[in-house]
Amino acid sequence: MTTSTPVNTPYSRETTALEVVRDLDLTGRRAVVTGGASGIGVETARALAAAGADVTLAVRNPEAGQRAAAEITGTTGNDRILVAPLDLADLGSVATFVRTWDGPLHMLVNNAGIMASPEMRTEQGWEMQFATNHLGHFALAAGLYRSLAAAEGARIVSVSSAAHLRSPVVFEDIHFRQRPYDPWEAYGQSKTANVLFAVDATRRWADDGIFTNALMPGAIRTNLQRYISEEELDRMRTQSGGGAAYWKTPEQGAATSVLVAASPLVAGVGGRYFEDCQEAGPNQPGTRTGYAPYARDPEAAERLWEVSEEHLRG
């Protein structure tokens, strides 16, 4: 179903997304990047476009998406950059995006998200971070399944975070109806869900040529941190990379997404967790790198899939 040899690459945490695609030709391949109007999303889209891919920016704000698309065309010369509205917290919006998509899809980059937000809920009463970061992307991928299968070698990129080490998916109270709401636990739970999705999507869909991997992009200053104070950001920075004070640029932060989406080094590989352009191993106590065992637990992954389907059925 997926190869077992760990993936090693010539890249590092300093590598940029454009360096990953330097020798790649993605002409004729189609990509969707959620949250593609800013941050690492726009740099992911730029690199895929630079390699010749047709890229759709799936964004909440189409006007910002159009500005990003024009800027990507200006820097890459690729005018096959489309913009489509997508609000991941609104299942109607997801359904509309899926309904209007036509033809194969080679790369789905589930990049958009919110981080450590105040307590907010969807119209269904779902906790907003879990709804946006996981359930919306789950609905999107499931809705695009036929298009992904038609690509005969599609890849799904599930952008997670080292914050998944903060919390497993608490199945008994996913939406904080009984336990006190904590923004970081909620974020960590949603990022664990991103890894578990990669595990079970690969189990279910690898025979259809669809491989899914999760990743940690690194510590990057973007509008993702709009709910976080400068003091908290400084603390996050010094905790990342095993304690080293290191911020990546957005171009560096997008590199691992682009590697997983497009590099031949990751062909036929699924259900893994990557960081700094390398496949990561299990987390070691006292560090903020690698994956938590609960995030790649196949039983938890299958349970999450079933729970997610129940959410979508209403």
mmCIF file of all heavy atoms in Angstrom, residues 164-188:
data_model
loop_
_atom_site.group_PDB
_atom_site.id
_atom_site.type_symbol
_atom_site.label_atom_id
_atom_site.label_comp_id
_atom_site.label_asym_id
_atom_site.label_seq_id
_atom_site.Cartn_x
_atom_site.Cartn_y
_atom_site.Cartn_z
ATOM 1 N N HIS A 164 0.490 19.448 17.444
ATOM 2 C CA HIS A 164 -0.281 18.213 17.643
ATOM 3 C C HIS A 164 0.217 17.461 18.882
ATOM 4 O O HIS A 164 -0.514 16.655 19.458
ATOM 5 C CB HIS A 164 -0.221 17.321 16.401
ATOM 6 C CG HIS A 164 0.970 16.425 16.337
ATOM 7 N ND1 HIS A 164 2.170 16.819 15.770
ATOM 8 C CD2 HIS A 164 1.170 15.158 16.775
ATOM 9 C CE1 HIS A 164 3.041 15.823 15.866
ATOM 10 N NE2 HIS A 164 2.460 14.805 16.460
ATOM 11 N N LEU A 165 1.451 17.761 19.311
ATOM 12 C CA LEU A 165 1.989 17.132 20.520
ATOM 13 C C LEU A 165 1.263 17.588 21.776
ATOM 14 O O LEU A 165 1.413 16.989 22.840
ATOM 15 C CB LEU A 165 3.485 17.450 20.641
ATOM 16 C CG LEU A 165 4.386 16.925 19.510
ATOM 17 C CD1 LEU A 165 5.766 17.566 19.576
ATOM 18 C CD2 LEU A 165 4.493 15.406 19.571
ATOM 19 N N ARG A 166 0.450 18.635 21.668
ATOM 20 C CA ARG A 166 -0.274 19.162 22.824
ATOM 21 C C ARG A 166 -1.502 18.328 23.187
ATOM 22 O O ARG A 166 -1.941 18.362 24.337
ATOM 23 C CB ARG A 166 -0.730 20.603 22.547
ATOM 24 C CG ARG A 166 0.402 21.609 22.459
ATOM 25 C CD ARG A 166 -0.151 22.981 22.078
ATOM 26 N NE ARG A 166 0.885 23.999 22.032
ATOM 27 C CZ ARG A 166 1.199 24.808 23.030
ATOM 28 N NH1 ARG A 166 0.554 24.691 24.176
ATOM 29 N NH2 ARG A 166 2.139 25.708 22.897
ATOM 30 N N SER A 167 -2.073 17.625 22.204
ATOM 31 C CA SER A 167 -3.325 16.930 22.510
ATOM 32 C C SER A 167 -3.653 15.873 21.472
ATOM 33 O O SER A 167 -3.529 16.131 20.273
ATOM 34 C CB SER A 167 -4.490 17.933 22.573
ATOM 35 O OG SER A 167 -5.717 17.267 22.796
ATOM 36 N N PRO A 168 -4.098 14.699 21.928
ATOM 37 C CA PRO A 168 -4.717 13.759 20.996
ATOM 38 C C PRO A 168 -6.113 14.264 20.630
ATOM 39 O O PRO A 168 -6.560 15.309 21.133
ATOM 40 C CB PRO A 168 -4.802 12.469 21.819
ATOM 41 C CG PRO A 168 -4.970 12.960 23.216
ATOM 42 C CD PRO A 168 -4.152 14.231 23.313
ATOM 43 N N VAL A 169 -6.800 13.548 19.767
ATOM 44 C CA VAL A 169 -8.217 13.834 19.554
ATOM 45 C C VAL A 169 -8.983 13.254 20.748
ATOM 46 O O VAL A 169 -8.906 12.058 21.033
ATOM 47 C CB VAL A 169 -8.731 13.213 18.241
ATOM 48 C CG1 VAL A 169 -10.246 13.385 18.126
ATOM 49 C CG2 VAL A 169 -8.034 13.854 17.045
ATOM 50 N N VAL A 170 -9.669 14.116 21.455
ATOM 51 C CA VAL A 170 -10.421 13.694 22.644
ATOM 52 C C VAL A 170 -11.831 13.316 22.168
ATOM 53 O O VAL A 170 -12.746 14.151 22.137
ATOM 54 C CB VAL A 170 -10.451 14.800 23.704
ATOM 55 C CG1 VAL A 170 -11.218 14.342 24.946
ATOM 56 C CG2 VAL A 170 -9.027 15.217 24.078
ATOM 57 N N PHE A 171 -11.989 12.072 21.775
ATOM 58 C CA PHE A 171 -13.243 11.643 21.160
ATOM 59 C C PHE A 171 -14.436 11.818 22.093
ATOM 60 O O PHE A 171 -15.563 12.033 21.630
ATOM 61 C CB PHE A 171 -13.126 10.183 20.726
ATOM 62 C CG PHE A 171 -12.233 9.981 19.546
ATOM 63 C CD1 PHE A 171 -10.943 9.475 19.708
ATOM 64 C CD2 PHE A 171 -12.656 10.297 18.264
ATOM 65 C CE1 PHE A 171 -10.109 9.281 18.619
ATOM 66 C CE2 PHE A 171 -11.833 10.107 17.165
ATOM 67 C CZ PHE A 171 -10.550 9.601 17.337
ATOM 68 N N GLU A 172 -14.199 11.737 23.394
ATOM 69 C CA GLU A 172 -15.297 11.851 24.339
ATOM 70 C C GLU A 172 -15.864 13.274 24.414
ATOM 71 O O GLU A 172 -17.007 13.463 24.851
ATOM 72 C CB GLU A 172 -14.846 11.410 25.740
ATOM 73 C CG GLU A 172 -14.458 9.938 25.835
ATOM 74 C CD GLU A 172 -13.123 9.629 25.165
ATOM 75 O OE1 GLU A 172 -12.299 10.559 25.000
ATOM 76 O OE2 GLU A 172 -12.907 8.448 24.805
ATOM 77 N N ASP A 173 -15.086 14.269 23.979
ATOM 78 C CA ASP A 173 -15.550 15.657 24.049
ATOM 79 C C ASP A 173 -14.780 16.503 23.041
ATOM 80 O O ASP A 173 -14.099 17.455 23.401
ATOM 81 C CB ASP A 173 -15.381 16.213 25.472
ATOM 82 C CG ASP A 173 -16.048 17.572 25.662
ATOM 83 O OD1 ASP A 173 -16.915 17.932 24.834
ATOM 84 O OD2 ASP A 173 -15.692 18.278 26.618
ATOM 85 N N ILE A 174 -14.919 16.162 21.773
ATOM 86 C CA ILE A 174 -14.181 16.869 20.719
ATOM 87 C C ILE A 174 -14.472 18.365 20.754
ATOM 88 O O ILE A 174 -13.563 19.185 20.578
ATOM 89 C CB ILE A 174 -14.547 16.282 19.332
ATOM 90 C CG1 ILE A 174 -13.886 14.908 19.151
ATOM 91 C CG2 ILE A 174 -14.127 17.231 18.210
ATOM 92 C CD1 ILE A 174 -14.286 14.192 17.877
ATOM 93 N N HIS A 175 -15.713 18.735 20.983
ATOM 94 C CA HIS A 175 -16.127 20.131 20.809
ATOM 95 C C HIS A 175 -16.177 20.933 22.110
ATOM 96 O O HIS A 175 -16.809 21.994 22.158
ATOM 97 C CB HIS A 175 -17.480 20.173 20.095
ATOM 98 C CG HIS A 175 -17.418 19.597 18.713
ATOM 99 N ND1 HIS A 175 -16.664 20.157 17.701
ATOM 100 C CD2 HIS A 175 -17.976 18.471 18.196
ATOM 101 C CE1 HIS A 175 -16.787 19.429 16.609
ATOM 102 N NE2 HIS A 175 -17.564 18.399 16.878
ATOM 103 N N PHE A 176 -15.497 20.435 23.140
ATOM 104 C CA PHE A 176 -15.376 21.185 24.400
ATOM 105 C C PHE A 176 -16.755 21.554 24.949
ATOM 106 O O PHE A 176 -17.002 22.682 25.373
ATOM 107 C CB PHE A 176 -14.526 22.446 24.197
ATOM 108 C CG PHE A 176 -13.073 22.154 23.923
ATOM 109 C CD1 PHE A 176 -12.645 21.871 22.634
ATOM 110 C CD2 PHE A 176 -12.137 22.141 24.949
ATOM 111 C CE1 PHE A 176 -11.306 21.583 22.370
ATOM 112 C CE2 PHE A 176 -10.802 21.857 24.692
ATOM 113 C CZ PHE A 176 -10.390 21.571 23.403
ATOM 114 N N ARG A 177 -17.650 20.580 24.984
ATOM 115 C CA ARG A 177 -18.973 20.820 25.550
ATOM 116 C C ARG A 177 -18.985 20.560 27.046
ATOM 117 O O ARG A 177 -19.798 21.136 27.772
ATOM 118 C CB ARG A 177 -20.013 19.965 24.828
ATOM 119 C CG ARG A 177 -20.195 20.406 23.365
ATOM 120 C CD ARG A 177 -21.348 19.697 22.694
ATOM 121 N NE ARG A 177 -21.634 20.283 21.394
ATOM 122 C CZ ARG A 177 -21.458 19.657 20.223
ATOM 123 N NH1 ARG A 177 -20.986 18.411 20.197
ATOM 124 N NH2 ARG A 177 -21.748 20.256 19.088
ATOM 125 N N GLN A 178 -18.095 19.671 27.505
ATOM 126 C CA GLN A 178 -18.000 19.401 28.940
ATOM 127 C C GLN A 178 -16.733 20.000 29.554
ATOM 128 O O GLN A 178 -16.771 20.562 30.643
ATOM 129 C CB GLN A 178 -18.004 17.884 29.207
ATOM 130 C CG GLN A 178 -19.383 17.244 29.135
ATOM 131 C CD GLN A 178 -19.861 17.007 27.713
ATOM 132 O OE1 GLN A 178 -19.119 16.462 26.904
ATOM 133 N NE2 GLN A 178 -21.078 17.410 27.405
ATOM 134 N N ARG A 179 -15.619 19.896 28.875
ATOM 135 C CA ARG A 179 -14.356 20.395 29.429
ATOM 136 C C ARG A 179 -14.192 21.880 29.126
ATOM 137 O O ARG A 179 -14.740 22.388 28.135
ATOM 138 C CB ARG A 179 -13.177 19.599 28.863
ATOM 139 C CG ARG A 179 -13.118 19.555 27.352
ATOM 140 C CD ARG A 179 -12.001 18.672 26.857
ATOM 141 N NE ARG A 179 -12.104 18.458 25.414
ATOM 142 C CZ ARG A 179 -11.067 18.393 24.598
ATOM 143 N NH1 ARG A 179 -9.833 18.551 25.051
ATOM 144 N NH2 ARG A 179 -11.257 18.174 23.301
ATOM 145 N N PRO A 180 -13.439 22.602 29.948
ATOM 146 C CA PRO A 180 -13.196 24.023 29.687
ATOM 147 C C PRO A 180 -12.445 24.202 28.366
ATOM 148 O O PRO A 180 -11.535 23.436 28.048
ATOM 149 C CB PRO A 180 -12.344 24.475 30.879
ATOM 150 C CG PRO A 180 -12.545 23.433 31.927
ATOM 151 C CD PRO A 180 -12.802 22.152 31.198
ATOM 152 N N TYR A 181 -12.835 25.220 27.629
ATOM 153 C CA TYR A 181 -12.171 25.479 26.349
ATOM 154 C C TYR A 181 -10.765 26.010 26.577
ATOM 155 O O TYR A 181 -10.547 26.919 27.379
ATOM 156 C CB TYR A 181 -12.965 26.493 25.531
ATOM 157 C CG TYR A 181 -12.310 26.822 24.213
ATOM 158 C CD1 TYR A 181 -12.362 25.931 23.150
ATOM 159 C CD2 TYR A 181 -11.608 28.026 24.031
ATOM 160 C CE1 TYR A 181 -11.748 26.220 21.937
ATOM 161 C CE2 TYR A 181 -11.000 28.327 22.832
ATOM 162 C CZ TYR A 181 -11.069 27.413 21.786
ATOM 163 O OH TYR A 181 -10.449 27.695 20.585
ATOM 164 N N ASP A 182 -9.813 25.415 25.894
ATOM 165 C CA ASP A 182 -8.435 25.896 25.900
ATOM 166 C C ASP A 182 -7.997 26.052 24.445
ATOM 167 O O ASP A 182 -8.022 25.072 23.686
ATOM 168 C CB ASP A 182 -7.510 24.900 26.608
ATOM 169 C CG ASP A 182 -6.069 25.376 26.636
ATOM 170 O OD1 ASP A 182 -5.354 25.168 25.623
ATOM 171 O OD2 ASP A 182 -5.651 25.957 27.638
ATOM 172 N N PRO A 183 -7.608 27.249 24.015
ATOM 173 C CA PRO A 183 -7.314 27.466 22.598
ATOM 174 C C PRO A 183 -6.177 26.604 22.068
ATOM 175 O O PRO A 183 -6.213 26.168 20.910
ATOM 176 C CB PRO A 183 -6.979 28.957 22.514
ATOM 177 C CG PRO A 183 -6.686 29.386 23.912
ATOM 178 C CD PRO A 183 -7.490 28.505 24.797
ATOM 179 N N TRP A 184 -5.166 26.347 22.906
ATOM 180 C CA TRP A 184 -4.039 25.548 22.427
ATOM 181 C C TRP A 184 -4.369 24.061 22.399
ATOM 182 O O TRP A 184 -3.925 23.338 21.508
ATOM 183 C CB TRP A 184 -2.796 25.805 23.281
ATOM 184 C CG TRP A 184 -2.115 27.085 22.894
ATOM 185 C CD1 TRP A 184 -2.047 28.239 23.623
ATOM 186 C CD2 TRP A 184 -1.422 27.350 21.672
ATOM 187 N NE1 TRP A 184 -1.349 29.193 22.925
ATOM 188 C CE2 TRP A 184 -0.956 28.679 21.739
ATOM 189 C CE3 TRP A 184 -1.158 26.599 20.535
ATOM 190 C CZ2 TRP A 184 -0.234 29.265 20.696
ATOM 191 C CZ3 TRP A 184 -0.436 27.175 19.496
ATOM 192 C CH2 TRP A 184 0.021 28.489 19.584
ATOM 193 N N GLU A 185 -5.155 23.589 23.362
ATOM 194 C CA GLU A 185 -5.575 22.191 23.298
ATOM 195 C C GLU A 185 -6.470 21.961 22.082
ATOM 196 O O GLU A 185 -6.378 20.920 21.412
ATOM 197 C CB GLU A 185 -6.304 21.796 24.580
ATOM 198 C CG GLU A 185 -5.382 21.598 25.769
ATOM 199 C CD GLU A 185 -6.124 21.014 26.960
ATOM 200 O OE1 GLU A 185 -7.215 20.440 26.771
ATOM 201 O OE2 GLU A 185 -5.600 21.141 28.082
ATOM 202 N N ALA A 186 -7.332 22.923 21.797
ATOM 203 C CA ALA A 186 -8.212 22.801 20.633
ATOM 204 C C ALA A 186 -7.399 22.789 19.345
ATOM 205 O O ALA A 186 -7.667 21.998 18.424
ATOM 206 C CB ALA A 186 -9.224 23.941 20.622
ATOM 207 N N TYR A 187 -6.412 23.668 19.278
ATOM 208 C CA TYR A 187 -5.558 23.694 18.086
ATOM 209 C C TYR A 187 -4.776 22.389 17.963
ATOM 210 O O TYR A 187 -4.715 21.778 16.881
ATOM 211 C CB TYR A 187 -4.598 24.879 18.162
ATOM 212 C CG TYR A 187 -3.705 25.014 16.949
ATOM 213 C CD1 TYR A 187 -4.236 25.283 15.693
ATOM 214 C CD2 TYR A 187 -2.312 24.883 17.063
ATOM 215 C CE1 TYR A 187 -3.414 25.412 14.587
ATOM 216 C CE2 TYR A 187 -1.492 25.019 15.962
ATOM 217 C CZ TYR A 187 -2.046 25.278 14.727
ATOM 218 O OH TYR A 187 -1.229 25.403 13.625
ATOM 219 N N GLY A 188 -4.181 21.939 19.083
ATOM 220 C CA GLY A 188 -3.417 20.699 19.049
ATOM 221 C C GLY A 188 -4.262 19.515 18.625
ATOM 222 O O GLY A 188 -3.828 18.667 17.831
#
